Amino acid sequence: MRREETVDYHIKAAWHAIARMYNQQAIKNDFTMSMGFVLLNINSEEGVPATKIAPLMGLEARSLTRLLKSMEEKGFIYRIGDASDKRLVRIA
């Protein structure tokens, strides 16, 4: 069987085409698909710990740090320290 005859080949090809199209539009606004996914997973009222976002994206929490720093510098997000637990920082 050739790879073009498999269902997963077409699913993967479609996903890559969608991702490319999204990123081409997002780059016009200094944005990426990863940034959009982070924003979709933030509770705007309470915020969310970065450790909760990372698994949803298939990343380690420390791998998300660079993306979050970039988003904070651009003003897309901000960090909130937890009043009861000083070790916890929420992303909002």
Side-chain angles (χ1 to χ4, degrees), residues 1 20 23 29 37-38 45 50 54 59 66 70 75-76 81 84 90:
M1 178 182 281
R20 266 193 317 275
N23 277 323
N29 297 303
F37 196 73
V38 167
E45 293 176 16
L59 300 171
R66 186 170 160 197
S70 172
F76 295 138
S84 62
R90 294 186 173 276

Side-chain angles (χ1 to χ4, degrees), residues 25-58:
Q25 294 300 314
I27 199 74
K28 294 176 186 176
N29 297 303
D30 200 23
F31 213 70
T32 66
M33 192 163 97
S34 296
M35 289 176 176
F37 196 73
V38 167
L39 291 176
L40 287 173
N41 288 289
I42 293 176
N43 180 329
S44 61
E45 293 176 16
E46 300 173 12
V48 65
T51 54
K52 300 278 184 181
I53 298 171
L56 294 172
M57 297 181 69

